[in-house]
């Protein structure tokens, strides 16, 4: 699930200022070397992640702590918002209210490590499994007998990373469970008694984005962009290209994160698309839609979309960029529309949305700016009432849909398969397995 559960912190609360979080650590929780975990280890681990010397790409997980970003930039020598109260209590003061902050703390990058071993160049954690071997083919993790969450069901986990055909290895019983793609799924007997095939909607969105920075009819006129949307049959893309393993795109949020049944998105309606194009005078100019492609090659979804647009009279021209440069501003600048996929880091809507549509967002590649949406984004992040926060994000999604900066195409469904003697294999909507819950019946 994506619920926040106790770990090293057995409990926590936020003070009346909605800024100061106090975490009560679990007494007796131990690192894999047997040393008890204290608040000082938590403080050290967070400051290590934020250290300007480390240059960690995930330091931003902790930027909401007061003074964290300044510390990360080398402007201060301490993080003012991290305070050790005693061996088993630590206080984190945020620079603004943000309930999604707990999701950040639950990320692997924020794992608590033994500070004494780290100084010796050794990584010592405190999870259900501890790393014991890398034999060139697989990693072996052994159950930690003193894990504070109790002994996991399996005594060891072997993670193979060099398999040439993981599907063959699975069918030959070398692997107990794997994730699979649509092509691999076609090779499986879905009704086999030897294994179970399961699926999970995940927090990922695939869309085409309009380049709103370019001076074209597509950047200037949202009705023309709407006509582009109505020309695309998303159901056909899902059924014919992805074998049904996706959910039709409606808004910017995947439904596994935020499901707004009142928001229907853009229906497939080529007649309506033509009507809009006629009314807006597009057929008089037939300005080309510049479509950005990887190395001058459109993937199957792109090929289908271009064919669909040309059927309603929209002229398309392919412009190319090397795959490694595809999402650089210089590549986006020479196109009207481009392809992008976005995967959630956490289950928090702000974390998912801010980078994509806020003016300061690092991946707002469309150049989308709406002052009303920006204000709602900032307000939603700080909102402490859960339902009012969700309602704000629903309103943001509707407003973004009205402005048409992107065309949501589909939200992928992940497939995984496990042998009959394996229980409790469950893939989360963040596309992650929890090894300690998996039970082997042999």
């Amino acid at each position: 699930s994506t619920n926040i559960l106790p770990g090293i912190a057995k409990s926590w609360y936020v003070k009346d200022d909605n800024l100061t979080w106090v975490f009560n650590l679990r007494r007796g929780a131990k690192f894999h070397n047997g040393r008890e975990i204290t608040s000082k280890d938590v403080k050290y681990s967070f400051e290590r992640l934020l250290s300007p010397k480390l240059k960690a790409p995930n330091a931003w997980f902790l930027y909401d702590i007061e003074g964290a970003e300044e510390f990360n930039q080398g402007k201060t020598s301490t993080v003012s918002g991290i305070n050790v109260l005693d061996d088993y209590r630590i206080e984190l003061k945020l620079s603004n209210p943000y309930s999604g902050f707990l999701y950040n703390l639950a990320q692997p990058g924020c794992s608590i490590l033994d500070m004494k071993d780290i100084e010796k160049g050794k990584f010592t954690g405190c999870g259900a499994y501890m790393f014991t071997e890398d034999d060139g083919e697989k990693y072996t993790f052994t159950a930690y007998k003193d894990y504070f969450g109790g002994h996991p069901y399996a005594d060891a986990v072997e993670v193979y990373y060099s398999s040439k055909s993981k599907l063959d290895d699975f069918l030959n019983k070398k692997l107990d469970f794997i994730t699979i793609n649509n092509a691999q799924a076609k090779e499986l007997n879905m009704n086999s008694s030897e294994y179970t095939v399961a699926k999970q909607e995940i927090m990922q969105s695939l869309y085409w984005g309009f380049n709103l920075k370019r001076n074209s009819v597509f950047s200037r006129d949202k009705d023309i962009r709407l006509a582009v949307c109505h020309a695309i049959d998303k159901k056909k893309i899902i059924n014919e290209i992805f074998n049904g393993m996706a959910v039709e795109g409606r808004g910017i949020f995947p439904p596994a994160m935020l499901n707004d049944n009142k928001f229907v998105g853009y229906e497939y309606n080529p007649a309506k698309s033509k009507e809009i194009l006629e009314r807006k005078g597009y057929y008089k100019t037939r300005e080309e839609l510049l479509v950005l492609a990887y190395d001058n090659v459109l993937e199957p979804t792109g090929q289908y979309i271009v064919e669909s647009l040309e059927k309603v009279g929209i002229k398309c021209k392919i412009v190319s960029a090397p795959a490694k440069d595809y999402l650089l501003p210089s590549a986006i600048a020479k196109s009207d529309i481009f392809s992008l996929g976005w995967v959630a880091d956490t289950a928090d809507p702000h974390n998912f949305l801010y980078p994509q549509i806020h003016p300061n967002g690092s991946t707002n590649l469309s150049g989308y700016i709406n002052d009303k949406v920006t204000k709602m984004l900032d307000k939603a992040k700080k909102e402490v009432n859960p339902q009012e926060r969700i309602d704000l994000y629903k309103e943001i999604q509707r407003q973004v849909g009205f402005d048409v900066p992107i065309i949501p195409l589909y939200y992928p469904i992940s497939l995984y398969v496990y042998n009959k003697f394996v229980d409790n294999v469950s893939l989360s909507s963040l596309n992650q397995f929890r090894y300690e819950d998996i039970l082997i019946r042999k």
Side-chain angles (χ1 to χ4, degrees):
S1 75
T2 56
N3 295 324
I4 298 295
L5 301 173
I8 296 170
K10 67 174 183 178
S11 63
W12 55 87
Y13 64 91
V14 62
K15 294 183 177 179
D16 291 341
D17 61 3
N18 288 315
L19 297 173
T20 308
W21 293 76
V22 177
F23 295 86
N24 303 305
L25 304 193
R26 193 183 302 271
R27 289 175 182 264
K30 296 177 180 179
F31 288 111
H32 294 154
N33 59 15
R35 191 174 72 80
E36 187 180 29
I37 304 164
T38 71
S39 300
K40 291 180 180 178
D41 294 296
V42 178
K43 182 176 188 292
Y44 174 87
S45 297
F46 290 169
E47 288 181 344
R48 174 183 174 273
L49 181 62
L50 288 166
S51 170
K53 294 180 181 179
L54 190 65
K55 298 179 181 178
N58 285 327
W60 63 270
F61 280 137
L62 301 176
Y63 275 3
D64 287 286
I65 299 176
E66 183 184 81
E69 195 165 0
E70 293 81 358
F71 178 79
N72 182 243
Q73 294 169 354
K75 296 178 180 178
T76 59
S77 58
T78 59
V79 182
S80 59
I82 302 178
N83 297 296
V84 170
L85 302 179
D86 56 41
D87 283 351
Y88 302 104
R89 292 187 303 149
I90 188 165
E91 180 183 273
L92 302 179
K93 184 176 182 181
L94 308 187
S95 54
N96 52 263
Y98 179 34
S99 57
F101 177 66
L102 288 179
Y103 285 111
N104 290 5
L105 292 186
Q107 296 306 299
C110 295
S111 294
I112 308 307
L113 302 169
D114 184 288
M115 60 182 179
K116 294 181 179 178
D117 279 0
I118 282 288
E119 296 301 327
K120 302 173 185 176
K122 182 179 180 181
F123 293 86
T124 303
C126 51
Y129 290 96
M130 53 186 179
F131 173 75
T132 51
E133 185 183 13
D134 174 7
D135 65 4
E137 181 186 23
K138 65 182 182 298
Y139 298 121
T140 300
F141 299 89
T142 305
Y144 180 46
K145 61 181 178 63
D146 291 327
Y147 175 52
F148 57 81
H151 198 289
Y153 292 124
D155 292 330
V157 176
E158 296 176 341
V159 182
Y160 287 79
Y161 58 82
S162 62
S163 174
K164 293 181 180 179
S165 175
K166 65 178 182 179
L167 183 57
D168 288 342
D169 286 343
F170 172 78
L171 293 173
N172 292 328
K173 302 295 191 337
K174 181 178 180 179
L175 301 176
D176 294 325
F177 66 93
I178 57 171
T179 55
I180 56 175
N181 57 34
N182 293 324
Q184 292 167 329
K186 293 177 181 178
E187 298 180 40
L188 289 171
N189 174 8
M190 294 295 185
N191 298 314
S192 172
S193 60
E194 293 296 308
Y195 50 77
T196 300
V197 180
K199 61 184 180 179
Q200 170 68 50
E201 288 185 30
I202 58 175
M203 296 182 185
Q204 182 178 0
S205 177
L206 278 296
Y207 59 84
W208 274 27
F210 288 100
N211 174 15
L212 302 180
K213 296 179 182 179
R214 190 171 178 273
N215 185 22
S216 71
V217 66
F218 304 99
S219 63
R220 294 191 303 267
D221 195 327
K222 69 180 180 184
D223 287 339
I224 297 292
R225 298 196 294 273
L226 189 60
V228 174
C229 296
H230 286 310
I232 302 171
D233 187 350
K234 301 169 193 173
K235 287 187 174 68
K236 189 173 182 180
I237 292 174
I238 291 169
N239 292 330
E240 295 187 3
I241 299 178
F242 296 99
N243 197 32
M245 288 297 102
V247 177
E248 183 179 352
R250 292 185 298 170
I252 196 166
F253 283 118
M257 174 174 284
L258 187 147
N259 195 6
D260 183 2
N261 292 323
K262 294 182 180 179
F263 182 75
V264 296
Y266 315 112
E267 62 174 342
Y268 171 56
N269 191 334
K272 188 172 184 178
S273 177
K274 291 178 181 179
E275 183 275 322
I276 294 173
L277 294 171
E278 179 68 40
R279 174 166 48 85
K280 302 297 291 190
Y282 173 79
Y283 292 131
K284 294 178 181 178
T285 61
R286 290 190 184 273
E287 184 175 334
E288 291 179 323
L289 177 71
L290 304 182
V291 181
L292 190 61
Y294 293 94
D295 296 318
N296 213 32
V297 177
L298 277 178
E299 31 79 36
T301 300
Q303 293 174 15
Y304 170 79
I305 291 175
V306 167
E307 291 171 3
S308 299
L309 296 180
E310 290 181 340
K311 285 180 182 178
V312 299
I314 297 175
K315 291 181 64 177
C316 297
K317 180 181 179 181
I318 307 302
V319 293
S320 181
K324 64 181 179 65
D325 299 332
Y326 186 83
L327 295 180
L328 292 179
S330 57
I332 301 291
K334 60 183 182 181
S335 72
D336 290 311
I337 202 165
F338 56 91
S339 157
L340 185 65
W342 193 255
V343 185
D345 294 299
T346 78
D348 181 60
H350 173 82
N351 181 293
F352 188 84
L353 208 54
Y354 180 92
Q356 299 181 79
I357 67 169
H358 195 280
N360 297 329
S362 58
T363 45
N364 183 355
L365 301 179
S366 286
Y368 173 67
I369 298 176
N370 180 320
D371 291 341
K372 178 182 177 182
V373 169
T374 300
K375 289 177 182 177
M376 283 195 292
L377 268 175
D378 294 336
K379 181 180 179 181
K381 178 181 181 180
K382 300 174 184 177
E383 179 56 59
V384 295
N385 182 296
Q387 188 55 54
E388 290 183 13
R389 192 168 189 254
I390 290 299
D391 290 342
L392 275 169
Y393 284 118
K394 288 181 178 180
E395 179 59 31
I396 290 170
Q397 177 165 255
R398 293 167 192 164
Q399 182 61 56
V400 172
F402 179 77
D403 293 337
V404 203
I406 67 167
I407 309 171
L409 295 175
Y410 58 90
Y411 316 110
I413 293 174
S414 273
L415 293 168
Y416 59 105
V417 57
Y418 53 95
N419 282 319
K420 64 179 181 179
F421 50 79
V422 181
D423 286 333
N424 289 353
V425 180
S426 180
L427 187 67
S428 78
S429 54
L430 287 170
N431 222 23
Q432 297 171 344
F433 291 102
R434 184 175 161 91
Y435 291 145
E436 63 196 84
D437 291 337
I438 297 175
L439 177 67
I440 308 295
R441 294 183 288 102
K442 283 187 178 179

